[in-house]
Amino acid sequence: MSGELGQLQEGPSHSGLYLPNPEGNEAEVQRSVNQRVGTPRRRSWIQNVLEQITDSPRRCSTPLEVVPVAVLAVQRYLLEGEPRDMEPKPPLYCYDVTISDGVFREKCYLDPSLNFLVYKNILKVGIEVKISRVSCIYNEKRLGQGILCIDNVHCGEPLDSISLEIPFRNRAHREIPERPLRGGKSHYLALWNNEDPYGDIWLSNKQPEEHNFNNIRIISLSHLEMTWSNIRNFPALLVRILHKSKLRYYGKPNKKMIEPYQTFLEVADSSGTVSVIMWNALCPEWYKSLHVGLVLLLQDYSIKKSHPFRMQPLPVDPQIKLISTMEICLNLRNPPTNIIIIPEKQVKPEWRLPKLNHRFVTRSELDDMPENSICDVIGVLVFVGRVQRSKKKESREDFWSYRWIHIADGTSKKPFIVELFSTSQPEVFENIYPMAHFTCTQLKVVRNDTQVPELLYLTTTNESRMFITGHRGQPYTNDTKNANRRSTSQAARRESQSQERVGEPRDNGPVSSQFCHTTSASLSPPKKKRALQGSCAKPIPVPQPETSAQRKGSKPDMPITFQRRESTRTGCIGKARKTISDKWESQMWREKKFGLIDHLRYSCIYPESIPRRFVLEHRNFLTQQYNSQPAKYIPQEGRPPNLYDFKSALVLGHFEVTILGLNHEIAISVAFLPEYSPEDVRTSQIDTLLTCMNYSCVFPQELTGNDRFQGPKAVTGDIIKAATELDKVHIVGILDICNLGNGKTEVYLHKIYRPDKTS
């Protein structure tokens, strides 16, 4: 592997602020701004602070005047340990914050003690902040250079607009590609995960080029497998990309790697398929240009024995030999690999390169597929959940980014339910919305037929790829079966669009295609993962496997109140304490509630967590609302709508459940959000409220006469009535804790069961 640094590389890209010089660069930039804008010269607050801190003997200062400044960027990178540190100290990552005072922009280093403001989504782009304490960190290897450090800051409200015309005070901050202020790292990471490529070091301009194959010796993969240990200079390889993995970032504070990335390509010729590993700086140069289906000419590569624990994706064509004894290594040096993309029109039939094959399945076929099967799906998005994050390891700061989506293909009333992890395609992952055509490959089937209801959904794998920009030119368009599926996909899209034109959802009608939940880069997954049935998006229950890292089990307690809450336009839903008739209290609660030591109130549901109905004309606004916060400020187009203007998709509203501890000293109130499924009658599963809570869904009883099902109001009454069966019953509760950022925390009742019965 290449990319190791013998020494810390210092240069302009790693420098910080230049010390103030009233006759130098800053004054020149100031005059330029004044001439261009045509306004009287205004003194920069950033400039004043720099002059004040320069005169301070301790190189730290409280600004004489604290004025609001705007946040334009919050960028993350790996924190390198100091040379004297034997072990890296937490946190692993640090942040550069770009601010603007209306005269200059300045990139500042955020003191690690304030990192929690980013974790909790309090410090973010587009808001107003007041910096009350600063310091200066000098680069002792370069004269007159230092970094402005934010030591204390108060975060305010979002601003309506921020000008992007304000220049940087420091010329080094204008350099491209952007470089972090501290350490030897040459690039920034994505703000919320390590899998997504971020920044201007990631190129996408590699194009196919005609190549003269005269005097080029090409070896087949099967022949190379037999002879590679005896060859010093390997002949060229002519292969087609069958699979492409997401990026893997393996940077560590104590390893001075320039760009520590790795990705796998599964390539094949007529004799077999093999894994190709692309290392380090070659990833930013080539990753975004190498697509599944391209033909490559590889020269000057190296070979090593394959990793014994890595599982290669199985080839779709069983006649292609799987070569698992060696791996091809591509590197920027040792030796410098030569990669050439061959145009498809130059590919000759006599090369016998394999064609792309896919495993497209319909929703009606999915029910018969065994667990861990691999398949590809295509259809119309009818539900898009908010972006969530879950920790990879409890003791680390690394997270997975994922969201839940539902895809309808017209072959079944049920949609594909997909747990969609980031696939190093942020341009797709962050821009999906209901009514869009969507294709996803290399999905794994997750199922458990012993559960009631059955557990069945799809999840992404390391080689999954997503497509939303239409079918033309995509690698799967030649598949004989995507050709037969277009009509069903188009039918599902028309049905979805017709549902959108129906109008606002009624209390007793189906919910149209919708977004569910907003973002705020939550630090833990939300309480449940629900499904929508059919293109008209009726909720159905989807029981999920336990994730103990986000759920808290309690000792056996007693539920003592159960009441319905309604949505409000302002503040936290549940705080308004609106009088509602749908309520039940036990006699014990009436006697004990005024003598409690503590009552933990977590039944609040914030407006951004309410499922909303999707409106196509506001697609950009809704997409931003349900994505993670961006690393850089993006100006709004016109006056943005209010999230409250979009109809809630909750038919039943939500419920507040209060549980009393066994000692009758502490109580906790949490939220419960049941789904209403009027067309999925399973009377055997609605015997008890316990079952309703465990499956997060309400199945109405079938009625006789003209009315086939109970309406939501009647169902709500049944829920309240059923709550009385748990009076004085000992239960164990499992709670889901969701951190929305900005100091907002929601707690949901995930499941309850009696300790003397099987969960």
Side-chain angles (χ1 to χ4, degrees):
M1 297 183 295
S2 67
E4 295 195 5
L5 299 176
Q7 296 180 352
L8 180 63
Q9 300 296 312
E10 295 291 338
S13 61
H14 301 293
S15 63
L17 60 92
Y18 290 99
L19 295 185
N21 181 359
E23 301 299 328
N25 176 58
E26 293 77 11
E28 180 181 346
V29 174
Q30 181 88 54
R31 287 193 297 269
S32 175
V33 172
N34 294 332
Q35 292 172 1
R36 183 168 65 250
V37 178
T39 58
R41 177 170 177 173
R42 179 163 66 91
R43 184 66 173 169
S44 165
W45 178 84
I46 293 174
Q47 189 76 27
N48 291 339
V49 170
L50 291 173
E51 293 177 355
Q52 180 181 338
I53 199 172
T54 303
D55 297 333
S56 173
R58 295 186 178 182
R59 298 297 183 251
C60 61
S61 176
T62 298
L64 297 176
E65 181 184 12
V66 178
V67 301
V69 294
V71 179
L72 291 175
V74 179
Q75 295 169 291
R76 182 177 69 108
Y77 55 100
L78 188 68
L79 178 64
E80 287 194 340
E82 298 294 334
R84 61 181 177 272
D85 294 335
M86 298 300 295
E87 293 292 334
K89 296 179 180 179
L92 290 177
Y93 301 101
C94 51
Y95 297 88
D96 290 343
V97 179
T98 302
I99 60 174
S100 170
D101 63 2
V103 179
F104 287 136
R105 276 195 256 183
E106 186 76 15
K107 186 180 290 188
C108 308
Y109 175 73
L110 184 69
D111 187 272
S113 65
L114 302 178
N115 282 5
F116 75 95
L117 295 175
V118 181
Y119 301 156
K120 295 185 176 182
N121 203 41
I122 298 173
L123 177 57
K124 56 187 176 181
V125 299
I127 67 170
E128 179 182 88
V129 299
K130 293 183 178 180
I131 302 172
S132 56
R133 188 168 183 80
V134 296
S135 59
C136 185
I137 303 174
Y138 285 98
N139 183 349
E140 296 180 350
K141 295 185 178 181
R142 295 181 67 88
L143 182 63
Q145 293 187 13
I147 299 170
L148 185 63
C149 178
I150 299 175
D151 295 328
N152 198 4
V153 62
H154 173 76
C155 299
E157 297 298 319
L159 297 168
D160 292 335
S161 63
I162 304 174
S163 173
L164 297 180
E165 301 298 322
I166 306 299
F168 277 106
R169 184 199 62 83
N170 189 336
R171 288 177 298 177
H173 296 171
R174 301 196 296 266
E175 291 182 354
I176 296 177
E178 287 187 289
R179 305 297 189 189
L181 289 177
R182 299 194 67 184
K185 299 303 176 186
S186 63
H187 69 289
Y188 288 107
L189 299 169
L191 186 56
W192 301 113
N193 65 55
N194 290 342
E195 284 71 41
D196 288 342
Y198 170 81
D200 43 23
I201 67 166
W202 296 89
L203 308 180
S204 58
N205 57 355
K206 303 291 185 180
Q207 300 296 328
E209 55 184 82
E210 296 275 353
H211 191 74
N212 186 355
F213 286 89
N214 295 334
N215 303 321
I216 292 184
R217 182 187 169 201
I218 296 176
I219 188 172
S220 69
L221 291 175
S222 60
H223 189 199
L224 184 64
E225 180 189 23
M226 295 184 293
T227 60
W228 72 271
S229 59
N230 300 321
I231 301 177
R232 177 171 296 181
N233 297 317
F234 303 116
L237 293 173
L238 188 62
V239 293
R240 187 186 297 278
I241 301 177
L242 301 185
H243 298 293
K244 173 184 173 182
S245 77
K246 62 184 175 184
L247 286 167
R248 174 178 172 260
Y249 180 77
Y250 62 95
K252 295 182 180 179
N254 54 352
K255 289 189 178 293
K256 293 180 171 59
M257 306 295 295
I258 297 179
E259 282 140 3
Y261 286 97
Q262 177 196 70
T263 190
F264 283 85
L265 304 174
E266 302 300 322
V267 303
D269 62 10
S270 60
S271 66
T273 178
V274 73
S275 295
V276 173
I277 312 176
M278 185 178 295
W279 291 99
N280 303 331
L282 212 57
C283 289
E285 182 180 354
W286 281 96
Y287 183 81
K288 297 183 72 172
S289 298
L290 296 181
H291 306 300
V292 172
L294 290 181
V295 176
L296 303 181
L297 180 68
L298 303 179
Q299 297 172 292
D300 301 322
Y301 53 88
S302 59
I303 300 179
K304 69 181 185 68
K305 289 184 179 181
S306 59
H307 196 283
F309 300 109
R310 181 177 181 268
M311 295 294 294
Q312 291 177 259
L314 294 176
V316 177
D317 188 349
Q319 297 181 351
I320 298 180
K321 179 184 178 182
L322 186 65
I323 299 174
S324 57
T325 58
M326 68 176 187
E327 294 173 339
I328 310 297
C329 297
L330 308 182
N331 232 318
L332 194 61
R333 56 181 69 89
N334 299 327
T337 301
N338 185 17
I339 304 174
I340 299 175
I341 303 176
I342 304 300
E344 192 65 32
K345 63 182 180 181
Q346 195 182 0
V347 177
K348 298 179 180 180
E350 54 265 31
W351 293 350
R352 296 188 297 119
L353 292 178
K355 295 182 179 180
L356 288 180
N357 292 314
H358 290 84
R359 300 182 177 92
F360 280 113
V361 299
T362 64
R363 179 58 184 87
S364 59
E365 296 170 334
L366 180 63
D367 291 332
D368 299 324
M369 294 189 65
E371 188 177 13
N372 295 325
S373 299
I374 300 297
C375 64
D376 308 327
V377 301
I378 186 171
V380 175
L381 287 167
V382 294
F383 170 85
V384 177
R386 66 176 172 191
V387 176
Q388 307 167 40
R389 297 202 305 159
S390 61
K391 270 194 173 184
K392 296 180 180 179
K393 294 183 179 180
E394 191 61 31
S395 60
R396 298 290 298 272
E397 299 176 53
D398 297 323
F399 291 83
W400 299 111
S401 293
Y402 71 100
R403 69 197 318 167
W404 288 86
I405 63 171
H406 301 155
I407 308 169
D409 70 352
T411 67
S412 170
K413 292 183 178 180
K414 299 178 182 179
F416 292 105
I417 303 168
V418 182
E419 184 183 31
L420 192 70
F421 284 88
S422 172
T423 59
S424 300
Q425 296 175 279
E427 68 283 357
V428 179
F429 186 78
E430 297 173 359
N431 288 283
I432 57 178
Y433 57 92
M435 300 173 61
H437 273 114
F438 187 80
T439 303
C440 196
T441 63
Q442 290 294 111
L443 295 171
K444 184 174 68 173
V445 177
V446 180
R447 71 182 310 150
N448 186 344
D449 297 337
T450 62
Q451 285 189 218
V452 180
E454 295 178 355
L455 176 70
L456 177 61
Y457 66 93
L458 301 172
T459 187
T460 49
T461 63
N462 198 46
E463 292 79 23
S464 293
R465 309 305 294 169
M466 302 178 292
F467 308 92
I468 60 168
T469 56
H471 302 305
R472 182 176 299 176
Q474 300 298 352
Y476 53 82
T477 52
N478 294 326
D479 187 273
T480 304
K481 189 172 183 180
N482 171 51
N484 296 335
R485 292 278 309 288
R486 290 182 188 176
S487 59
T488 60
S489 180
Q490 291 168 357
R493 182 182 179 88
R494 286 194 297 270
E495 185 177 355
S496 176
Q497 289 174 329
S498 67
Q499 290 292 334
E500 290 297 328
R501 291 193 292 268
V502 168
E504 299 177 355
R506 300 185 300 273
D507 284 345
N508 59 350
V511 182
S512 295
S513 301
Q514 58 183 290
F515 276 79
C516 182
H517 308 300
T518 187
T519 179
S520 303
S522 52
L523 299 184
S524 59
K527 62 285 174 189
K528 306 176 183 70
K529 304 161 181 115
R530 293 182 295 271
L532 298 180
Q533 179 177 353
S535 58
C536 58
K538 301 182 183 72
I540 63 174
V542 182
Q544 302 297 332
E546 299 294 335
T547 54
S548 58
Q550 284 78 39
R551 293 183 182 131
K552 304 296 184 183
S554 64
K555 295 181 179 179
D557 296 331
M558 300 180 184
I560 37 72
T561 72
F562 203 91
Q563 51 188 317
R564 179 173 175 245
R565 295 295 183 191
E566 292 182 349
S567 300
T568 59
R569 284 186 56 88
T570 58
C572 170
I573 299 168
K575 285 186 176 179
R577 299 294 176 187
K578 185 176 179 179
T579 303
I580 299 173
S581 59
D582 301 326
K583 179 178 179 179
W584 169 79
E585 287 186 353
S586 70
Q587 180 62 35
M588 180 181 294
W589 177 244
R590 297 188 187 99
E591 298 171 356
K592 301 292 185 181
K593 62 182 178 181
F594 297 110
L596 297 175
I597 295 177
D598 196 6
H599 185 177
L600 306 175
R601 302 182 185 273
Y602 290 103
S603 61
C604 169
I605 301 296
Y606 291 94
E608 56 264 43
S609 288
I610 298 298
R612 304 286 176 178
R613 183 176 177 180
F614 177 69
V615 179
L616 184 60
E617 63 182 286
H618 296 297
R619 184 187 75 185
N620 293 337
F621 169 77
L622 289 171
T623 300
Q624 292 176 7
Q625 289 293 311
Y626 299 105
N627 279 328
S628 300
Q629 292 288 341
K632 289 189 174 182
Y633 173 72
I634 303 173
Q636 294 282 351
E637 297 179 1
R639 184 180 180 87
N642 195 312
L643 190 60
Y644 299 105
D645 296 334
F646 297 90
K647 268 290 184 179
S648 167
L650 287 179
V651 178
L652 296 177
H654 78 281
F655 292 82
E656 177 186 276
V657 180
T658 302
I659 302 173
L660 180 65
L662 290 181
N663 292 328
H664 300 174
E665 295 177 342
I666 298 177
I668 183 170
S669 296
V670 296
F672 171 58
L673 277 74
E675 291 290 356
Y676 176 63
S677 183
E679 292 189 0
D680 196 351
V681 179
R682 305 180 189 183
T683 55
S684 62
Q685 298 176 25
I686 58 172
D687 297 335
T688 65
L689 181 65
L690 225 58
T691 305
C692 168
M693 291 182 175
N694 285 350
Y695 297 131
S696 307
C697 189
V698 177
F699 303 98
Q701 296 279 6
E702 190 169 4
L703 301 178
T704 58
N706 295 330
D707 296 329
R708 185 181 177 190
F709 300 114
Q710 292 175 296
K713 293 183 178 179
V715 170
T716 299
D718 288 346
I719 294 176
I720 298 297
K721 182 178 179 181
T724 60
E725 71 190 47
L726 296 181
D727 189 13
K728 299 182 180 180
V729 173
H730 290 186
I731 57 96
V732 173
I734 299 177
L735 308 178
D736 282 344
I737 302 173
C738 183
N739 188 331
L740 299 180
N742 289 332
K744 299 178 180 179
T745 300
E746 296 174 340
V747 181
Y748 299 90
L749 181 63
H750 173 75
K751 182 182 293 187
I752 62 174
Y753 60 91
R754 298 182 183 180
D756 58 335
K757 293 187 177 182
T758 303
S759 171

